[in-house]
């Protein structure tokens, strides 16, 4: 049995949807980030970074959403959310998962959590503007790399869940990821999946 510590619409979305895809039993524990619960003494004991998500399995603690996703894919290969070891598709899968977690995800954190980086309001505004400029180039790159209809090709994999999650976070920006034609089509496919819909409803996301 897994326990996923999550917060509405946060980096847990992809892991949460993946567990539903996999049909594994899990328990959800909400961390209300608006109330600062990610910084509570009890939560810091399991995740000293004060971030969500955190996964607990048989008392073992794991954080970092992309790592959790990979771990779940390895543990539940029957769900088919990751290409076979050693395949060309696996190489692309790994490349894009790592790219998304260390490049667009970081820029999105600059935008959503500028207060974690800078105290000065004017500097935060500049940080957010720079993040949006960088993201535009990243969405363009990803949009051109979608093999179709999913990122790696014919089948939906965990990187599509991750891409849909980070693309969702750009929805209030001047040029949201959804406005890029191929990303928009991919998002619509992922969002139509029962796993994504269930995750959105569990989290109360819109
Ligand atoms: N690299 C981490 C980042 C997690 C992260 O930054 N989560 C955000 C929500 S999307 C968070 O917990 N923010 C709380 C805060 O900044 O106080 C991961 O992917 O798990």
């Amino acid at each position: 049995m897994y326990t996923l510590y999550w917060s509405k619409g946060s980096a847990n979305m992809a892991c949460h949807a993946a567990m539903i895809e996999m049909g594994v039993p899990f328990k959800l524990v909400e961390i209300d980030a608006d109330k600062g619960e990610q910084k509570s003494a009890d939560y810091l004991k399991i995740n000293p970074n004060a971030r969500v998500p955190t996964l607990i399995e048989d008392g073992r603690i794991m954080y970092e959403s992309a790592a959790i996703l990979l771990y779940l894919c390895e543990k539940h290969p029957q769900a088919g959310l990751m290409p076979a070891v050693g395949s060309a598709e696996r190489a692309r899968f790994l490349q894009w998962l790592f790219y998304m977690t260390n490049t667009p995800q970081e820029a999105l954190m600059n935008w959503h959590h500028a207060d974690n980086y800078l105290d000065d309001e004017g500097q935060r505004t500049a940080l957010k503007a720079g993040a949006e400029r960088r993201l535009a180039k990243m969405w363009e790159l990803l949009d051109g790399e979608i093999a179709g209809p999913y990122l790696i090709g014919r089948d939906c994999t965990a990187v599509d869940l991750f891409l849909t999650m980070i693309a969702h976070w750009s929805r209030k920006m001047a040029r949201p990821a959804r406005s890029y034609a191929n990303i928009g089509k991919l998002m619509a496919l992922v969002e139509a999946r029962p796993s994504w819909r269930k995750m959105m409803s569990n989290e109360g996301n819109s």
Side-chain angles (χ1 to χ4, degrees), residues 143-159:
D143 195 63
E145 290 285 345
I146 292 172
Y150 293 103
L151 184 47
I152 310 300
R154 199 176 29 127
D155 300 318
C156 181
T157 70
V159 288

Side-chain angles (χ1 to χ4, degrees), residues 81-83 89-97 152 157-159:
L81 285 182
M82 181 163 68
E89 289 77 18
R90 176 68 156 246
R92 282 173 56 75
F93 175 96
L94 291 171
Q95 172 187 297
W96 290 123
L97 184 59
I152 310 300
T157 70
V159 288

Side-chain angles (χ1 to χ4, degrees), residues 7-12 33 36 38-39 43 47 49-54 63-68 101 105-106 109 112-113 115-116 162 165 169:
S7 180
K8 191 174 157 67
S10 293
N12 34 267
Q38 75 279 24
K39 294 177 184 152
Y43 188 67
N47 189 332
N49 303 308
R51 297 280 194 274
V52 284
T54 304
Y63 39 79
E64 285 304 324
S65 58
I68 294 171
T101 193
Q105 192 178 358
E106 179 58 16
M109 289 303 118
H112 282 284
H113 296 285
D115 52 319
N116 283 347
F162 207 90
M165 172 176 79
W169 295 340

Side-chain angles (χ1 to χ4, degrees), residues 8-80:
K8 191 174 157 67
S10 293
N12 34 267
M13 292 170 81
C15 304
H16 183 173
M19 288 196 289
I20 300 170
E21 287 273 347
M22 290 162 182
V24 295
F26 63 90
K27 195 174 115 192
L28 292 170
V29 178
E30 184 171 8
I31 297 298
D32 189 336
D34 291 338
K35 290 192 188 145
E37 286 176 4
Q38 75 279 24
K39 294 177 184 152
S40 72
D42 279 348
Y43 188 67
L44 288 174
K45 278 187 207 144
I46 62 165
N47 189 332
N49 303 308
R51 297 280 194 274
V52 284
T54 304
L55 185 77
I56 302 198
E57 180 193 16
D58 300 331
R60 292 192 310 274
I61 297 167
M62 181 172 192
Y63 39 79
E64 285 304 324
S65 58
I68 294 171
L69 202 52
L70 260 180
Y71 175 72
L72 291 169
C73 287
E74 285 179 359
K75 198 127 186 249
H76 305 286
Q78 77 290 347

